[in-house]
Amino acid sequence: MKKIKLKIPKIKIKQVTADQLTERLLLLNLYITQGLTLFIGIVWLLLQKRNPFELFSIGENESFVAWGLGLAAIMLAVDFLVSRIMPEDSMDDGGINQLLFGNRPIWHIICIAAIVAVCEEMLFRGAMQYAIGPYWTSIIFAVIHIRYLKHWIPTGWVFLSSYGLGYIYIHSGTILAPILCHFVIDCISGFVIRFRREEAS
C-alpha cells in the first residue's frame, strides 16, 4: 500500500513595520480586529448571562458625561506634559498612528475613534473587567497594544489609562463613561497628528 505524504506549508509570521504597511492594509487590519473585538465582547457578555444593551443604561444618573470628559481632560493634560518632558523616541509607536491619522479626513478620524471606543470598551470594560477586575484587564489591555511594548513609558501609560477607564466605569455605572472618554482621547489625538502634519507640509 502506497503511503500518502501530506505536505504542510510552513507559515512564516513576520513583524511588519510602519514603512511596510499601506494605509489600506492598516485600515483593513483595524476594522477586522475591531469587529472581532466587538464580537468576542458580545459573546462573552452573553456567556456571562448579561444583556449587552444594559451596559448603556444610565437610569436617572447623567454624571457619566462628567466622568468621561473629566478623565479625558486629565489624561490629555498628562499626555501633553509627558510628551514635552520625555524624548520623542521614548513615546515612539513605530509610526502606526502617523500612518493611520496623518492623511485621514476629519469625518474618518471621528468614525475610527467611535468604532474603537465602542468595540474595545465593550470587550475590556464590559466583559473582561466583570470577569477578572480592572487590574488584570488593564495588564491585558497594555499587552495587546503591542506597538508600545518596546518603550516602558507608553506601556505604563496605556495601563494607567485602562485602569482609569475601569474606575470611571465602576463609579458611573454605565459603559458610556469609558466609551466617551476613549472616544474623546482618540479623536483629539487623531486631530493633533492630522493637523501637525498639515502644518509641517
Side-chain angles (χ1 to χ4, degrees), residues 11-81:
I11 299 168
K12 291 182 180 179
I13 298 170
K14 289 198 317 183
Q15 186 177 1
V16 178
T17 57
D19 58 333
Q20 295 172 306
L21 278 173
T22 62
E23 285 186 31
R24 186 179 175 186
L25 186 61
L26 182 59
L27 277 177
L28 185 65
N29 180 62
L30 174 78
Y31 289 130
I32 289 171
T33 54
Q34 292 305 313
L36 283 170
T37 299
L38 182 62
F39 176 75
I40 293 166
I42 290 171
V43 169
W44 198 345
L45 285 162
L46 294 174
L47 290 172
Q48 293 170 344
K49 297 180 180 176
R50 296 163 67 214
N51 183 345
F53 294 106
E54 286 181 2
L55 299 178
F56 294 87
S57 173
I58 58 171
E60 296 177 5
N61 182 11
E62 294 179 9
S63 66
F64 77 89
V65 176
W67 281 108
L69 294 181
L71 181 61
I74 292 166
M75 288 168 68
L76 287 166
V78 171
D79 188 53
F80 176 78
L81 289 171

Side-chain angles (χ1 to χ4, degrees), residues 45-129:
L45 285 162
L46 294 174
L47 290 172
Q48 293 170 344
K49 297 180 180 176
R50 296 163 67 214
N51 183 345
F53 294 106
E54 286 181 2
L55 299 178
F56 294 87
S57 173
I58 58 171
E60 296 177 5
N61 182 11
E62 294 179 9
S63 66
F64 77 89
V65 176
W67 281 108
L69 294 181
L71 181 61
I74 292 166
M75 288 168 68
L76 287 166
V78 171
D79 188 53
F80 176 78
L81 289 171
V82 170
S83 65
R84 293 287 173 184
I85 296 166
M86 301 305 297
E88 194 173 329
D89 62 339
S90 69
M91 303 294 285
D92 181 38
D93 72 339
I96 300 295
N97 286 339
Q98 182 63 50
L99 184 62
L100 184 60
F101 296 116
N103 293 317
R104 202 71 49 217
I106 292 170
W107 68 266
H108 203 171
I109 292 173
I110 294 168
C111 284
I112 290 170
I115 289 166
V116 170
V118 171
C119 295
E120 291 190 358
E121 293 311 311
M122 285 288 284
L123 173 60
F124 289 97
R125 252 51 64 183
M128 193 178 292
Q129 183 168 304

